[in-house]
Amino acid sequence: MARRCGRATSRFTNEIQKCPQKIAISAVWICLCLSFPSTVEAGLYTASDQVILLSRDTVGKVLVNSSAALVVEFYASWCGHCVAFSPVYRSLARDLKEWKPAVDLAAIDCSERVNLKVCSDYNIRGYPTVKFFRAYSKPGALGHIIKDLYPDTVWLRHNIIAQLESHGEPWPPACPPLEPTSQAELDSFFETNNVQHLALIFEEDGSYVGREVTLDLLQFENIAVRRVLSSEKGLVNKLGVTEFPSCYLYYPGGNITRLKVNIEARAFYSFALKRLPGVVRSGKPPPVTNGAPINRTVEPWRPFNKSRVYMADLESALHYSLRMELALHPVIRGEALTALKKYISVLVKYFPGRTVVMNLLRSVDTWLNQCGDEISYDELKEKLENTAESSNAALPDGVRWVGCQSSQPHLRRYPCGVWTLFHVLTVQAYNNESTDPLEVLTAMRSYVHNFFGCRLCAEHFENMAKESMSEVNTLSTAVLWLWSRHNRVNNRLAGALTEDPDFPKIQWPSPVMCPSCHTVRADGEHRWNKEQALRFLLSYFSPSSILTDYLESESQVLEIQKQKQIIRQQNLEAQKHERKIREAVDSIKPSQPAVQEEEEEEEEEEGPQDAVVADMGEEGGEAAEMEAKPTPWARPDVNIGPRRRRTGRPSIVGMKMREVPEDIVDLDSFVNEHYKAKALQMAAARVKQRSLQRKEEQEPGPVFRLGMELDAGLGMVGLQPVDANFEQRNRLHKRELTDGYFEEEAEMNRRGRWRMSVLSIGFSELDISLCVILYSLSCMCLLAMYLFFKNRLRLRRVKVASP
Ligand SMILES: Cc1cc2nc3c(=O)[nH]c(=O)nc-3n(C[C@H](O)[C@H](O)[C@H](O)COP(=O)(O)OP(=O)(O)OC[C@H]3O[C@@H](n4cnc5c(N)ncnc54)[C@H](O)[C@@H]3O)c2cc1C
Ligand SMILES: *[C@@H]1O[C@H](CO)[C@@H](O)[C@H](O)[C@H]1NC(C)=O
Ligand SMILES: *[C@@H]1O[C@H](CO)[C@@H](O)[C@H](O)[C@H]1NC(C)=O
Ligand SMILES: *[C@@H]1O[C@H](CO)[C@@H](O)[C@H](O)[C@H]1NC(C)=O
């Protein structure tokens, strides 16, 4: 023991650094296994369960030579005991979530035919069998059976600790030493360890608290945890410890202070220790404690109270959901339409919004209930923008996050707003004594399922809903269900990339926020006091405690809407005018090709805009309508392009200006990913469509084709000089489709500029100038050809005339 002790101490701090690659490799594997669950998801576990789902093909890669020890459940999905055991195993996985780098959980379904051989190779004779595999197991290692399997998380946890303790060399590098410490080790502790805090947990010999807290904190830097046995009399007497368990912070020179917790138990120690100054999750920047994070965003920081709900977040979530997320669905019908109706009707009933917002939601709700079995987003958008100008109704445009602010643009914000919104709705359904306890939850489920941009999140949420939502039978259990599932998500995401270091994912509310919500069982296991938690939730999310800071006043909101309306009208007028002119031009257009060439060229000389318009029109198969557009700069906003083409509706909502400087539209990275994929898909489809059309359009004549090619931005024949730029341009374009998709847009809005959107892509200034360059080049080309042909014609005429 003593031998292990000395070495293990340094092992704790050094070996993690020595083996980062191995840890990284196994982490990558775990991620891979979690992200491709489809092949094995038929079993008892899903990707949401934090259990590595093994199959014949992955078992070797995961088990052999892993830097973490592994606990593997071999089960058959038809076996009743396995089914009964699965919730225990799942909850064990949540419980041991922070231990993953040292010991991870996996499962394999032996009733899958392909897995049968694997299970037989591991000597499995009955189900469920749980085996412990040491770190760096060799191929062919059979693991140690955890005997007398008892379906209890505490029992299993203690067994796993026992297995870890008897783990020989090589020790899992991420696993801290688990044996009790001694005076001798403490004396030299700060000489050999570069940590800020040393937590000592004084406990009886049989207690597991010290080892559990040690493992709970293994992913955190600047802190080490050791257990001291009550039998270590020298130390106990010297420090005057009388209570077991109890936790003390030990500093160089022998300074010692007691850690203050509500209850002397594992959950409370772990929570308090993680929040000590300087203690950070490995690999995360330290949180900023003074409230305002370092200026990592371009937006001014709005100071807020972390234990309050803000209406600004709820309205921002509504804006984002209705104007951005739904906009990705040009046509809404069937199940999706039902989901939308349900969502809006729940909002109308329970959203504790301001009068203007409620009026708008009501008008949308009324309209939805009258419409047929299919709507286009354009129609919905007109309702959202209140183009019918019903009085005193508006949905504030743009986002203004307050409680959902983040230290970086890709964190928190919209998903945070969605959670907050639905918590508020469940609480309001409770307050209003809704007749259907599942009303809000089913609305949330179907909204998330059909529309929530983060598809993986939607899948996870659907898994949770399938598992237990049907058990909700009262309004209070609905509030508690959403709360506890949200905590499950928090548990899963703690330490993940989407965690904002300034807002760590915790089991919410913390013991600091709601001391009475937390309690322990006789054996020291943490338990929620559900009654107290419910009381807390009802008050926390109650409309009377929602703060209205940072909101524009209702009259301002209406005024902004009115301004937009005026702009829209003007735009419409301009379009009509333009169309008339165009029609007049069209009617006198002769059909001879030679003259047509000249016409085309004249149009080119008018300026580049028209060509863009023409291209847009042909692309969408609506040449006439599109040609009537005044300029491409007045193109409808991002989301209208593709929709319009498909639904073939006239453009009313043409231009859009958002002066609101706070209008930053951002997403969590995962949401982003989804939109990226969508945007790329859409762009790809469009390019495809375009190239098809280009082939069709090749007939009309050389000049026209040139124009097409130019517009397609695909630098082709006759445009060699552009070729070099094309690669770069393309890259820029792609960047915008991805990273810049929303930020770029926000950037332009913030400057209060007209937004130009073509093909549902926000164009940057660089793109625009490249466009202009391209067009100038094409004009020169055309001019050259025109002169060439004209010359030739003249020559021919001369020739014809001369004989
Ligand atoms: C339905 C849904 C599913 C999601 N699934 C995933 C996923 O699978 N993977 C992924 O990476 N991200 C997922 N997300 C996003 C993720 O849950 C967070 O919303 C996001 O990471 C932002 O986190 P946050 O720190 O702002 O806190 P959030 O978790 O968004 O919480 C917002 C606020 O609600 C309060 N709160 C926290 N916990 C609770 C609770 N248990 N009960 C009541 N209130 C609470 C806190 O005040 C917190 O600041 C999902 C979001 C939603 C809405
Ligand atoms: C196991 O990992 C170690 C260190 O990463 C490596 O040297 C060794 O070759 C690996 N063994 C096998 C069988 O993959
Ligand atoms: C952060 O920087 C932006 C512009 O760079 C500025 O507008 C904003 O006020 C700054 N925020 C803080 C909190 O300093
Ligand atoms: C934040 O809100 C809580 C709950 O209402 C309140 O007790 C606390 O004083 C507030 N904090 C600040 C800094 O205003």
Side-chain angles (χ1 to χ4, degrees):
M1 273 290 175
R3 184 190 59 89
R4 156 83 56 76
C5 221
R7 225 155 14 105
T9 306
S10 54
R11 184 189 277 150
F12 171 55
T13 43
N14 298 340
E15 290 203 11
I16 291 180
Q17 280 139 29
K18 260 193 267 166
C19 311
Q21 281 155 308
K22 284 177 226 165
I23 296 171
I25 289 167
S26 45
V28 164
W29 257 111
I30 290 164
C31 290
L32 281 179
C33 298
L34 286 175
S35 47
F36 299 112
S38 45
T39 50
V40 274
E41 211 162 83
L44 295 176
Y45 303 99
T46 67
S48 325
D49 290 328
Q50 307 194 52
V51 171
I52 304 173
L53 306 172
L54 295 176
S55 70
R56 180 191 62 189
D57 303 326
T58 57
V59 96
K61 286 167 197 143
V62 174
L63 288 187
V64 177
N65 220 16
S66 151
S67 61
L70 275 143
V71 175
V72 182
E73 185 202 355
F74 297 83
Y75 70 94
S77 43
W78 48 259
C79 124
H81 276 90
C82 304
V83 175
F85 182 70
S86 63
V88 178
Y89 202 61
R90 252 181 236 124
S91 121
L92 182 71
R94 286 196 294 276
D95 192 16
L96 307 193
K97 137 107 194 170
E98 295 290 359
W99 305 10
K100 277 179 187 291
V103 54
D104 208 346
L105 263 59
I108 181 165
D109 184 357
C110 300
S111 65
E112 285 279 329
R113 210 191 168 105
V114 288
N115 297 338
L116 193 61
K117 172 104 180 19
V118 175
C119 299
S120 142
D121 288 350
Y122 280 100
N123 275 343
I124 304 304
R125 298 287 173 265
Y127 310 118
T129 297
V130 174
K131 283 190 162 194
F132 181 90
F133 291 83
R134 293 182 168 168
Y136 303 111
S137 286
K138 304 234 161 9
L142 294 179
H144 304 262
I145 291 185
I146 295 186
K147 291 205 187 75
D148 310 318
L149 195 61
Y150 186 70
D152 174 71
T153 45
V154 181
W155 184 89
L156 280 161
R157 197 172 70 220
H158 293 172
N159 256 279
I160 289 168
I161 289 176
Q163 292 284 350
L164 271 178
E165 285 190 299
S166 62
H167 198 293
E169 296 294 337
W171 182 257
C175 186
L178 298 172
E179 60 281 322
T181 191
S182 60
Q183 178 73 58
E185 194 203 352
L186 287 189
D187 288 342
S188 60
F189 183 84
F190 287 102
E191 288 160 26
T192 50
N193 289 277
N194 181 24
V195 295
Q196 216 172 319
H197 307 277
L198 170 62
L200 297 178
I201 292 176
F202 289 84
E203 61 183 351
E204 307 286 356
D205 193 14
S207 162
Y208 283 88
V209 173
R211 285 165 283 185
E212 287 163 353
V213 175
T214 305
L215 287 162
D216 283 344
L217 277 127
L218 73 86
Q219 299 193 50
F220 288 77
E221 281 167 8
N222 278 330
I223 183 153
V225 186
R226 293 288 183 279
R227 65 190 292 237
V228 186
L229 297 187
S230 55
S231 54
E232 185 78 27
K233 286 290 179 230
L235 210 50
V236 169
N237 291 338
K238 187 174 149 204
L239 304 176
V241 179
T242 52
E243 220 181 313
F244 305 97
S246 57
C247 182
Y248 288 81
L249 295 169
Y250 187 91
Y251 294 104
N255 289 340
I256 190 161
T257 53
R258 177 106 184 235
L259 185 74
K260 282 197 193 67
V261 287
N262 300 344
I263 304 173
E264 303 289 338
R266 170 195 171 197
F268 297 85
Y269 291 149
S270 295
F271 177 81
L273 292 176
K274 284 176 193 173
R275 258 130 216 99
L276 289 176
V279 174
V280 286
R281 195 177 277 280
S282 312
K284 291 253 176 186
V288 181
T289 40
N290 66 7
I294 313 155
N295 200 349
R296 274 170 290 196
T297 66
V298 282
E299 253 185 307
W301 187 257
R302 306 182 187 100
F304 69 100
N305 186 334
K306 282 193 186 181
S307 46
R308 298 298 291 270
V309 176
Y310 286 81
M311 184 52 81
D313 292 320
L314 300 175
E315 284 185 1
S316 297
L318 278 186
H319 158 82
Y320 199 92
S321 140
L322 297 174
R323 287 211 184 86
M324 306 290 290
E325 199 153 68
L326 287 177
L328 290 179
H329 302 257
V331 181
I332 303 173
R333 66 165 84 87
E335 190 200 323
L337 185 58
T338 316
L340 176 62
K341 285 180 178 171
K342 187 107 208 226
Y343 174 53
I344 300 289
S345 86
V346 159
L347 286 173
V348 164
K349 274 165 115 170
Y350 306 121
F351 184 61
R354 300 188 284 170
T355 318
V356 283
V357 177
M358 294 317 292
N359 284 344
L360 187 97
L361 288 172
R362 256 178 238 121
S363 77
V364 173
D365 187 47
T366 315
W367 173 73
L368 275 176
N369 286 328
Q370 289 162 354
C371 69
D373 47 13
E374 179 177 312
I375 61 160
S376 75
Y377 180 75
D378 284 355
E379 294 166 318
L380 176 62
K381 187 168 173 86
E382 279 174 30
K383 297 290 157 210
L384 293 173
E385 304 310 337
N386 191 17
T387 47
E389 302 192 41
S390 48
S391 68
N392 210 23
L395 177 65
D397 202 339
V399 294
R400 181 175 299 195
W401 304 113
V402 179
C404 286
Q405 279 174 111
S406 51
S407 62
Q408 285 164 61
H410 63 283
L411 301 175
R412 307 194 77 225
R413 303 189 181 188
Y414 178 57
C416 168
V418 172
W419 278 121
T420 313
L421 176 64
F422 281 104
H423 286 300
V424 166
L425 293 177
T426 54
V427 165
Q428 270 300 80
Y430 176 94
N431 290 337
N432 294 6
E433 295 173 10
S434 158
T435 47
D436 175 10
L438 275 169
E439 189 177 14
V440 173
L441 293 183
T442 46
M444 176 180 184
R445 180 182 182 175
S446 57
Y447 179 84
V448 168
H449 181 68
N450 283 285
F451 302 111
F452 193 46
C454 168
R455 291 323 293 163
L456 209 58
C457 304
E459 199 179 295
H460 287 314
F461 190 76
E462 182 59 26
N463 284 340
M464 292 197 296
K466 262 190 213 139
E467 197 186 303
S468 59
M469 204 160 105
S470 57
E471 288 158 26
V472 171
N473 48 16
T474 61
L475 291 166
S476 55
T477 47
V479 175
L480 287 170
W481 187 87
L482 193 59
W483 160 74
S484 71
R485 298 310 119 154
H486 189 173
N487 267 342
R488 278 203 189 177
V489 177
N490 291 347
N491 171 278
R492 181 154 44 79
L493 296 182
L497 279 176
T498 53
E499 183 183 48
D500 191 326
D502 292 331
F503 300 86
K505 306 260 190 244
I506 54 162
Q507 292 303 289
W508 189 94
S510 71
V512 178
M513 259 179 132
C514 177
S516 61
C517 294
H518 299 262
T519 160
V520 290
R521 283 194 328 211
D523 62 357
E525 280 296 289
H526 177 267
R527 279 287 163 275
W528 288 101
N529 181 337
K530 295 241 171 88
E531 230 165 81
Q532 290 298 324
L534 179 64
R535 272 178 60 174
F536 179 84
L537 289 163
L538 292 179
S539 115
Y540 184 88
F541 291 108
S542 87
S544 57
S545 47
I546 296 177
L547 298 176
T548 53
D549 308 23
Y550 302 108
L551 288 175
E552 283 157 337
S553 74
E554 295 189 62
S555 54
Q556 278 172 316
V557 170
L558 288 169
E559 186 51 37
I560 291 168
Q561 181 177 257
K562 198 178 276 169
Q563 292 304 322
K564 272 192 286 181
Q565 208 77 22
I566 291 167
I567 290 161
R568 213 174 284 134
Q569 294 279 306
Q570 286 170 348
N571 188 28
L572 203 65
E573 289 300 314
Q575 280 170 22
K576 263 191 206 151
H577 186 66
E578 188 82 10
R579 187 173 298 157
K580 266 188 206 135
I581 293 175
R582 191 61 59 104
E583 273 163 13
V585 170
D586 281 353
S587 63
I588 55 162
K589 202 185 257 179
S591 54
Q592 265 158 22
V595 190
Q596 199 172 19
E597 264 174 29
E598 285 178 24
E599 281 267 338
E600 284 287 338
E601 204 234 1
E602 268 167 32
E603 276 180 28
E604 289 287 321
E605 277 173 1
E606 272 174 28
Q609 297 97 320
D610 289 284
V612 170
V613 168
D615 175 46
M616 291 289 301
E618 271 131 17
E619 186 206 342
E622 281 187 341
E625 187 215 320
M626 289 299 184
E627 267 176 300
K629 294 271 153 64
T631 68
W633 320 114
R635 206 132 288 277
D637 83 314
V638 158
N639 300 304
I640 289 195
R643 223 176 16 257
R644 163 139 306 117
R645 257 166 258 130
R646 263 184 261 178
T647 52
R649 295 175 43 78
S651 158
I652 296 169
V653 206
M655 291 163 111
K656 194 168 173 190
M657 183 165 83
R658 292 200 214 151
E659 299 98 324
V660 195
E662 287 80 6
D663 188 3
I664 284 203
V665 181
D666 273 320
L667 284 175
D668 257 40
S669 56
F670 58 87
V671 179
N672 227 339
E673 240 170 64
H674 166 69
Y675 288 120
K676 267 183 220 171
K678 258 225 148 116
L680 282 170
Q681 251 175 29
M682 273 153 69
R686 238 171 268 120
V687 167
K688 212 164 135 197
Q689 194 185 358
R690 214 184 307 185
S691 45
L692 279 179
Q693 266 157 0
R694 198 169 47 244
K695 271 182 205 132
E696 283 166 22
E697 303 281 353
Q698 303 236 319
E699 314 314 319
V703 175
F704 192 41
R705 186 165 75 226
L706 205 62
M708 290 298 296
E709 278 157 4
L710 186 60
D711 285 337
L714 293 172
M716 294 215 163
V717 205
L719 287 172
Q720 273 85 357
V722 187
D723 264 89
N725 288 341
F726 173 62
E727 176 84 11
Q728 184 197 0
R729 189 192 130 83
N730 214 20
R731 225 181 302 127
L732 282 166
H733 197 68
K734 227 181 203 147
R735 174 182 55 73
E736 274 178 341
L737 278 176
T738 55
D739 303 331
Y741 186 41
F742 291 107
E743 260 127 274
E744 200 79 36
E745 181 194 26
E747 189 65 38
M748 294 188 81
N749 290 341
R750 208 172 312 116
R751 286 186 227 130
R753 286 240 249 104
W754 295 109
R755 182 153 43 140
M756 184 208 68
S757 300
V758 183
L759 317 174
S760 90
I761 294 153
F763 273 56
S764 74
E765 281 165 287
L766 198 53
D767 274 332
I768 292 166
S769 39
L770 279 169
C771 252
V772 171
I773 292 170
L774 279 170
Y775 272 107
S776 325
L777 280 169
S778 86
C779 288
M780 276 154 64
C781 260
L782 289 167
L783 197 64
M785 290 188 83
Y786 170 71
L787 291 173
F788 171 78
F789 279 115
K790 213 166 184 180
N791 254 335
R792 244 192 17 193
L793 264 177
R794 204 177 295 146
L795 275 175
R796 215 182 285 162
R797 259 184 229 138
V798 170
K799 265 186 204 157
V800 171
S802 61

PDB file of all heavy atoms in Angstrom, residues 527-541:
ATOM      1  N   ARG A 527     -30.419  12.097  -2.353  1.00  0.00           N
ATOM      2  CA  ARG A 527     -31.804  12.003  -2.831  1.00  0.00           C
ATOM      3  C   ARG A 527     -32.356  13.392  -3.010  1.00  0.00           C
ATOM      4  O   ARG A 527     -32.041  14.287  -2.228  1.00  0.00           O
ATOM      5  CB  ARG A 527     -32.674  11.269  -1.810  1.00  0.00           C
ATOM      6  CG  ARG A 527     -32.586   9.776  -1.845  1.00  0.00           C
ATOM      7  CD  ARG A 527     -33.319   9.212  -3.075  1.00  0.00           C
ATOM      8  NE  ARG A 527     -32.930   7.844  -3.369  1.00  0.00           N
ATOM      9  CZ  ARG A 527     -31.862   7.502  -4.106  1.00  0.00           C
ATOM     10  NH1 ARG A 527     -31.091   8.433  -4.628  1.00  0.00           N
ATOM     11  NH2 ARG A 527     -31.569   6.251  -4.327  1.00  0.00           N
ATOM     12  N   TRP A 528     -33.170  13.559  -4.038  1.00  0.00           N
ATOM     13  CA  TRP A 528     -33.884  14.826  -4.179  1.00  0.00           C
ATOM     14  C   TRP A 528     -35.098  14.793  -3.275  1.00  0.00           C
ATOM     15  O   TRP A 528     -35.782  13.772  -3.189  1.00  0.00           O
ATOM     16  CB  TRP A 528     -34.348  15.027  -5.623  1.00  0.00           C
ATOM     17  CG  TRP A 528     -33.252  15.326  -6.581  1.00  0.00           C
ATOM     18  CD1 TRP A 528     -32.661  14.457  -7.447  1.00  0.00           C
ATOM     19  CD2 TRP A 528     -32.590  16.585  -6.776  1.00  0.00           C
ATOM     20  NE1 TRP A 528     -31.689  15.085  -8.173  1.00  0.00           N
ATOM     21  CE2 TRP A 528     -31.623  16.392  -7.782  1.00  0.00           C
ATOM     22  CE3 TRP A 528     -32.726  17.852  -6.205  1.00  0.00           C
ATOM     23  CZ2 TRP A 528     -30.796  17.428  -8.228  1.00  0.00           C
ATOM     24  CZ3 TRP A 528     -31.893  18.879  -6.661  1.00  0.00           C
ATOM     25  CH2 TRP A 528     -30.948  18.672  -7.653  1.00  0.00           C
ATOM     26  N   ASN A 529     -35.367  15.895  -2.650  1.00  0.00           N
ATOM     27  CA  ASN A 529     -36.637  16.050  -1.967  1.00  0.00           C
ATOM     28  C   ASN A 529     -37.602  16.635  -2.996  1.00  0.00           C
ATOM     29  O   ASN A 529     -37.616  17.840  -3.260  1.00  0.00           O
ATOM     30  CB  ASN A 529     -36.468  16.984  -0.771  1.00  0.00           C
ATOM     31  CG  ASN A 529     -37.758  17.163  -0.001  1.00  0.00           C
ATOM     32  OD1 ASN A 529     -38.844  16.960  -0.550  1.00  0.00           O
ATOM     33  ND2 ASN A 529     -37.646  17.536   1.260  1.00  0.00           N
ATOM     34  N   LYS A 530     -38.379  15.742  -3.610  1.00  0.00           N
ATOM     35  CA  LYS A 530     -39.185  16.143  -4.775  1.00  0.00           C
ATOM     36  C   LYS A 530     -40.201  17.220  -4.412  1.00  0.00           C
ATOM     37  O   LYS A 530     -40.498  18.104  -5.207  1.00  0.00           O
ATOM     38  CB  LYS A 530     -39.907  14.912  -5.355  1.00  0.00           C
ATOM     39  CG  LYS A 530     -38.936  13.890  -5.924  1.00  0.00           C
ATOM     40  CD  LYS A 530     -39.158  13.659  -7.416  1.00  0.00           C
ATOM     41  CE  LYS A 530     -38.068  12.807  -8.022  1.00  0.00           C
ATOM     42  NZ  LYS A 530     -38.338  11.368  -7.931  1.00  0.00           N
ATOM     43  N   GLU A 531     -40.747  17.110  -3.205  1.00  0.00           N
ATOM     44  CA  GLU A 531     -41.734  18.098  -2.779  1.00  0.00           C
ATOM     45  C   GLU A 531     -41.126  19.504  -2.777  1.00  0.00           C
ATOM     46  O   GLU A 531     -41.713  20.451  -3.301  1.00  0.00           O
ATOM     47  CB  GLU A 531     -42.178  17.762  -1.356  1.00  0.00           C
ATOM     48  CG  GLU A 531     -43.669  17.705  -1.146  1.00  0.00           C
ATOM     49  CD  GLU A 531     -43.953  17.021   0.177  1.00  0.00           C
ATOM     50  OE1 GLU A 531     -43.860  17.711   1.213  1.00  0.00           O
ATOM     51  OE2 GLU A 531     -44.210  15.800   0.186  1.00  0.00           O
ATOM     52  N   GLN A 532     -39.928  19.568  -2.178  1.00  0.00           N
ATOM     53  CA  GLN A 532     -39.248  20.858  -2.109  1.00  0.00           C
ATOM     54  C   GLN A 532     -38.824  21.314  -3.500  1.00  0.00           C
ATOM     55  O   GLN A 532     -38.905  22.498  -3.825  1.00  0.00           O
ATOM     56  CB  GLN A 532     -38.018  20.756  -1.199  1.00  0.00           C
ATOM     57  CG  GLN A 532     -38.355  20.589   0.267  1.00  0.00           C
ATOM     58  CD  GLN A 532     -39.127  21.779   0.814  1.00  0.00           C
ATOM     59  OE1 GLN A 532     -38.882  22.925   0.433  1.00  0.00           O
ATOM     60  NE2 GLN A 532     -40.106  21.498   1.665  1.00  0.00           N
ATOM     61  N   ALA A 533     -38.385  20.363  -4.308  1.00  0.00           N
ATOM     62  CA  ALA A 533     -37.958  20.709  -5.666  1.00  0.00           C
ATOM     63  C   ALA A 533     -39.143  21.297  -6.444  1.00  0.00           C
ATOM     64  O   ALA A 533     -38.997  22.292  -7.150  1.00  0.00           O
ATOM     65  CB  ALA A 533     -37.400  19.487  -6.379  1.00  0.00           C
ATOM     66  N   LEU A 534     -40.310  20.674  -6.276  1.00  0.00           N
ATOM     67  CA  LEU A 534     -41.493  21.178  -6.963  1.00  0.00           C
ATOM     68  C   LEU A 534     -41.809  22.606  -6.515  1.00  0.00           C
ATOM     69  O   LEU A 534     -42.064  23.482  -7.341  1.00  0.00           O
ATOM     70  CB  LEU A 534     -42.690  20.256  -6.706  1.00  0.00           C
ATOM     71  CG  LEU A 534     -43.998  20.694  -7.363  1.00  0.00           C
ATOM     72  CD1 LEU A 534     -43.877  20.661  -8.884  1.00  0.00           C
ATOM     73  CD2 LEU A 534     -45.158  19.815  -6.914  1.00  0.00           C
ATOM     74  N   ARG A 535     -41.757  22.811  -5.226  1.00  0.00           N
ATOM     75  CA  ARG A 535     -42.027  24.158  -4.706  1.00  0.00           C
ATOM     76  C   ARG A 535     -41.058  25.161  -5.298  1.00  0.00           C
ATOM     77  O   ARG A 535     -41.440  26.265  -5.698  1.00  0.00           O
ATOM     78  CB  ARG A 535     -41.905  24.167  -3.179  1.00  0.00           C
ATOM     79  CG  ARG A 535     -43.199  23.810  -2.494  1.00  0.00           C
ATOM     80  CD  ARG A 535     -43.059  23.786  -1.007  1.00  0.00           C
ATOM     81  NE  ARG A 535     -42.655  25.075  -0.452  1.00  0.00           N
ATOM     82  CZ  ARG A 535     -42.591  25.303   0.860  1.00  0.00           C
ATOM     83  NH1 ARG A 535     -42.911  24.351   1.717  1.00  0.00           N
ATOM     84  NH2 ARG A 535     -42.228  26.481   1.308  1.00  0.00           N
ATOM     85  N   PHE A 536     -39.784  24.740  -5.332  1.00  0.00           N
ATOM     86  CA  PHE A 536     -38.768  25.633  -5.881  1.00  0.00           C
ATOM     87  C   PHE A 536     -39.061  25.948  -7.350  1.00  0.00           C
ATOM     88  O   PHE A 536     -39.036  27.102  -7.776  1.00  0.00           O
ATOM     89  CB  PHE A 536     -37.387  25.002  -5.739  1.00  0.00           C
ATOM     90  CG  PHE A 536     -36.284  25.848  -6.303  1.00  0.00           C
ATOM     91  CD1 PHE A 536     -35.725  26.865  -5.551  1.00  0.00           C
ATOM     92  CD2 PHE A 536     -35.824  25.644  -7.593  1.00  0.00           C
ATOM     93  CE1 PHE A 536     -34.719  27.669  -6.075  1.00  0.00           C
ATOM     94  CE2 PHE A 536     -34.823  26.438  -8.130  1.00  0.00           C
ATOM     95  CZ  PHE A 536     -34.268  27.452  -7.369  1.00  0.00           C
ATOM     96  N   LEU A 537     -39.360  24.909  -8.141  1.00  0.00           N
ATOM     97  CA  LEU A 537     -39.618  25.103  -9.572  1.00  0.00           C
ATOM     98  C   LEU A 537     -40.813  26.023  -9.796  1.00  0.00           C
ATOM     99  O   LEU A 537     -40.781  26.902 -10.656  1.00  0.00           O
ATOM    100  CB  LEU A 537     -39.872  23.749 -10.248  1.00  0.00           C
ATOM    101  CG  LEU A 537     -38.659  22.836 -10.407  1.00  0.00           C
ATOM    102  CD1 LEU A 537     -39.091  21.399 -10.692  1.00  0.00           C
ATOM    103  CD2 LEU A 537     -37.757  23.336 -11.527  1.00  0.00           C
ATOM    104  N   LEU A 538     -41.865  25.788  -9.018  1.00  0.00           N
ATOM    105  CA  LEU A 538     -43.080  26.582  -9.199  1.00  0.00           C
ATOM    106  C   LEU A 538     -42.808  28.051  -8.927  1.00  0.00           C
ATOM    107  O   LEU A 538     -43.367  28.931  -9.587  1.00  0.00           O
ATOM    108  CB  LEU A 538     -44.195  26.069  -8.280  1.00  0.00           C
ATOM    109  CG  LEU A 538     -44.745  24.678  -8.626  1.00  0.00           C
ATOM    110  CD1 LEU A 538     -45.825  24.273  -7.630  1.00  0.00           C
ATOM    111  CD2 LEU A 538     -45.268  24.632 -10.050  1.00  0.00           C
ATOM    112  N   SER A 539     -41.942  28.314  -7.965  1.00  0.00           N
ATOM    113  CA  SER A 539     -41.683  29.721  -7.679  1.00  0.00           C
ATOM    114  C   SER A 539     -40.642  30.291  -8.651  1.00  0.00           C
ATOM    115  O   SER A 539     -40.780  31.415  -9.122  1.00  0.00           O
ATOM    116  CB  SER A 539     -41.265  29.883  -6.213  1.00  0.00           C
ATOM    117  OG  SER A 539     -39.948  30.329  -6.109  1.00  0.00           O
ATOM    118  N   TYR A 540     -39.637  29.482  -8.972  1.00  0.00           N
ATOM    119  CA  TYR A 540     -38.570  29.962  -9.857  1.00  0.00           C
ATOM    120  C   TYR A 540     -39.099  30.331 -11.243  1.00  0.00           C
ATOM    121  O   TYR A 540     -38.718  31.346 -11.819  1.00  0.00           O
ATOM    122  CB  TYR A 540     -37.491  28.883  -9.984  1.00  0.00           C
ATOM    123  CG  TYR A 540     -36.272  29.268 -10.782  1.00  0.00           C
ATOM    124  CD1 TYR A 540     -35.191  29.885 -10.163  1.00  0.00           C
ATOM    125  CD2 TYR A 540     -36.195  29.005 -12.145  1.00  0.00           C
ATOM    126  CE1 TYR A 540     -34.069  30.239 -10.879  1.00  0.00           C
ATOM    127  CE2 TYR A 540     -35.074  29.357 -12.876  1.00  0.00           C
ATOM    128  CZ  TYR A 540     -34.008  29.971 -12.244  1.00  0.00           C
ATOM    129  OH  TYR A 540     -32.894  30.321 -12.965  1.00  0.00           O
ATOM    130  N   PHE A 541     -39.981  29.488 -11.795  1.00  0.00           N
ATOM    131  CA  PHE A 541     -40.488  29.727 -13.149  1.00  0.00           C
ATOM    132  C   PHE A 541     -41.841  30.422 -13.168  1.00  0.00           C
ATOM    133  O   PHE A 541     -42.480  30.490 -14.209  1.00  0.00           O
ATOM    134  CB  PHE A 541     -40.573  28.405 -13.924  1.00  0.00           C
ATOM    135  CG  PHE A 541     -39.228  27.812 -14.256  1.00  0.00           C
ATOM    136  CD1 PHE A 541     -38.758  26.682 -13.615  1.00  0.00           C
ATOM    137  CD2 PHE A 541     -38.416  28.402 -15.218  1.00  0.00           C
ATOM    138  CE1 PHE A 541     -37.513  26.144 -13.916  1.00  0.00           C
ATOM    139  CE2 PHE A 541     -37.173  27.864 -15.532  1.00  0.00           C
ATOM    140  CZ  PHE A 541     -36.717  26.743 -14.877  1.00  0.00           C
TER     141      PHE A 541
END
